[in-house]
């Protein structure tokens, strides 16, 4: 079992920045690709970004490309999501995911990811 705990969410004005963190615990010796999804009220959960186990490959949704950056520190079992130039439409609960397919970063069905965190709220005011 791998547990994921997100932090770093909050309220920010449009154009501002936030950095989300997600710490993995438990069976962290098992390698995973890590990623972020988000879910706005009344909408389906959507892919945001993912990064391979080695960190050498990433993938972003078109809606965040150029504004968000995903990174990881395996020595700290942590994945980060740096979010810049935030927009009101970025408002959502952000979820961290872990995937045993360590080299795959393109979006998959929500049910295909192995572990999920509880989420952290990001609210962007206009």
């Amino acid at each position: 079992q791998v547990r994921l705990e997100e932090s770093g969410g909050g309220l920010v004005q449009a154009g501002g920045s936030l950095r989300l963190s997600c710490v993995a615990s438990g069976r962290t010796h098992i390698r995973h690709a890590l990623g972020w999804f988000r879910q706005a009220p009344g909408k389906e959960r959507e892919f945001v970004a993912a990064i391979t186990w080695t960190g050498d490959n990433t993938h972003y949704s078109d809606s965040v490309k150029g504004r968000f950056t995903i990174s990881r520190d395996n020595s700290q079992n942590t994945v980060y999501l740096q979010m810049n130039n935030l927009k009101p439409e970025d408002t959502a609960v952000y979820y961290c995911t872990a995937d045993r397919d360590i080299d795959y970063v393109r979006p998959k069905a929500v049910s295909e990811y192995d572990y999920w965190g509880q989420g952290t709220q990001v609210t962007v005011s206009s």
Side-chain angles (χ1 to χ4, degrees):
Q1 184 75 8
V2 173
R3 290 174 294 278
L4 303 172
E5 183 171 359
E6 304 94 337
S7 62
L11 174 63
V12 64
Q13 289 187 333
S17 298
L18 283 175
R19 188 175 83 153
L20 305 184
S21 301
C22 173
V23 179
S25 61
R27 303 182 70 186
T28 54
H29 61 283
I30 298 175
R31 299 178 176 186
H32 293 85
L34 296 173
W36 293 92
F37 274 68
R38 67 186 182 186
Q39 188 167 18
K43 295 188 177 181
E44 293 187 352
R45 196 168 295 192
E46 65 171 357
F47 174 86
V48 174
I51 186 167
T52 54
W53 162 253
T54 59
D56 62 352
N57 195 18
T58 58
H59 186 76
Y60 298 90
S61 68
D62 288 343
S63 61
V64 307
K65 197 175 298 181
R67 299 188 297 123
F68 291 10
T69 302
I70 189 171
S71 60
R72 66 187 295 164
D73 182 347
N74 289 343
S75 69
Q76 301 294 321
N77 296 319
T78 301
V79 62
Y80 304 98
L81 186 68
Q82 178 66 44
M83 306 185 295
N84 297 330
N85 190 22
L86 282 160
K87 303 175 181 181
E89 51 264 42
D90 295 317
T91 295
V93 177
Y94 283 70
Y95 297 91
C96 178
T97 69
D99 183 357
R100 284 191 290 261
D101 192 348
I102 63 173
D103 292 322
Y104 193 85
V105 290
R106 290 193 171 272
K108 300 195 289 188
V110 167
S111 60
E112 294 187 54
Y113 291 88
D114 297 295
Y115 302 103
W116 291 86
Q118 293 300 306
T120 185
Q121 175 71 47
V122 171
T123 303
V124 184
S125 63
S126 57

